[in-house]
C-alpha cells in the first residue's frame, strides 16, 4: 500500500522473479535501496493493470503517506479489496463504494487506529457500507505503537451480519469466497 523500507527489499532479495507494484512515489525510495527500475511497476490511484489472471486497480486512501494506495484485485469472477493504510471519512467510503461497483468478496481492513489508520469502529463502518462476503481485519499487530485487539471489530461485524475472521501467521488460509 506504500513503501516498506525493510520488508519490500527483503522480499525482492529472496524472490528474484518478484516485481514491485507500487505508487509511482515509491520509485525513488526503492531506487535509493538498490532496486532497479526493471523491477518496479508504477500503479497510482485510478490506474489498472493486468498480471496473469489478476486485474489490479489502485484505489484512494487517506493516509499520512500521500503515495499510499488501496487495492482492488479481481480474478476468476471474485474480488478482494485491501484498504491499505487509511483513515475513514464518509466521503471516502462513498467514493470506494462507487469505485468498487459491487460488494467485494473479501475485504482486508486496517483497524489499528494509529499512524493514519482507521479505528476498529471506523473499519466496521466501512465494512457495513461495502458489505463484503468476508471481512479480515489487518494492520493491528505490526508495531508496538499500533496494537489493537481485533475482537471488538469481529463482534461488530457479527452484529452487522458480516462474515469475519482473523488470520494466523504461518497458517495457510484457504476458503472459497464464492
Amino acid at each position: 500500500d506504500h513503501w516498506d523500507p525493510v520488508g519490500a527489499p527483503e522480499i525482492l532479495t529472496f524472490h528474484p522473479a518478484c516485481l514491485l507494484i507500487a505508487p509511482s512515489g515509491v520509485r525513488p525510495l526503492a531506487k535509493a535501496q538498490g532496486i532497479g527500475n526493471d523491477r518496479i511497476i508504477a500503479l497510482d490511484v485510478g490506474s489498472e493493470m493486468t498480471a496473469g489472471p489478476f486485474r489490479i486497480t489502485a484505489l484512494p486512501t487517506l493516509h499520512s503517506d500521500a503515495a499510499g494506495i488501496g487495492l482492488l484485485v479481481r480474478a476468476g469472477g471474485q474480488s478482494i479489496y485491501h484498504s491499505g493504510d487509511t483513515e475513514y471519512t464518509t466521503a471516502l467510503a462513498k467514493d470506494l463504494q462507487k469505485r468498487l461497483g459491487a460488494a467485494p468478496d473479501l475485504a482486508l481492513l486496517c483497524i489499528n487506529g494509529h499512524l493514519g489508520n482507521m479505528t476498529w469502529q471506523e473499519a466496521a463502518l466501512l465494512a457495513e457500507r461495502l458489505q463484503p462476503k468476508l471481512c479480515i481485519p489487518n494492520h493491528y499487530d505490526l508495531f508496538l505503537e499500533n496494537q489493537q485487539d481485533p475482537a471488538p471489530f469481529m463482534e461488530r461485524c457479527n452484529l452487522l451480519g458480516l462474515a469475519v475472521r482473523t488470520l494466523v501467521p504461518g497458517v495457510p488460509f484457504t476458503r472459497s469466497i464464492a
Side-chain angles (χ1 to χ4, degrees):
D1 58 352
H2 60 90
W3 181 241
D4 177 346
V6 176
E10 189 172 299
I11 291 168
L12 293 168
T13 297
F14 287 107
H15 302 281
C18 184
L19 299 175
L20 177 65
I21 301 170
S24 57
V26 164
R27 186 179 298 274
L29 302 170
K31 286 177 68 176
Q33 287 194 255
I35 298 168
N37 273 337
D38 59 326
R39 297 198 63 196
I40 304 169
I41 299 171
L43 191 66
D44 293 309
V45 171
S47 298
E48 290 188 346
M49 66 171 289
T50 300
F54 302 99
R55 185 77 182 152
I56 305 165
T57 305
L59 299 172
T61 63
L62 294 173
H63 188 56
S64 57
D65 182 347
I69 58 172
L71 294 173
L72 175 62
V73 180
R74 295 183 187 110
Q78 299 199 350
S79 62
I80 300 171
Y81 166 63
H82 187 293
S83 70
D85 285 339
T86 190
E87 294 181 11
Y88 176 89
T89 66
T90 301
L92 177 65
K94 286 180 180 178
D95 183 48
L96 289 171
Q97 191 175 26
K98 182 178 173 183
R99 288 175 189 257
L100 294 176
D105 294 291
L106 173 63
L108 302 158
L109 304 174
C110 64
I111 66 162
N112 66 49
H114 300 285
L115 305 173
N117 288 304
M118 293 183 283
T119 63
W120 71 262
Q121 296 94 330
E122 292 167 329
L125 287 171
L126 184 57
E128 183 176 20
R129 181 172 291 277
L130 300 181
Q131 292 290 303
K133 292 180 183 168
L134 177 63
C135 297
I136 296 179
N138 65 51
H139 280 47
Y140 60 84
D141 207 7
L142 299 173
F143 309 103
L144 288 176
E145 60 270 12
N146 71 352
Q147 300 285 308
Q148 178 63 46
D149 181 359
F153 172 78
M154 296 177 70
E155 289 170 17
R156 179 69 179 142
C157 285
N158 284 326
L159 288 172
L160 294 168
L162 298 171
V164 62
R165 67 162 293 165
T166 57
L167 300 179
V168 178
V171 177
F173 169 67
T174 55
R175 177 180 175 213
S176 174
I177 52 177

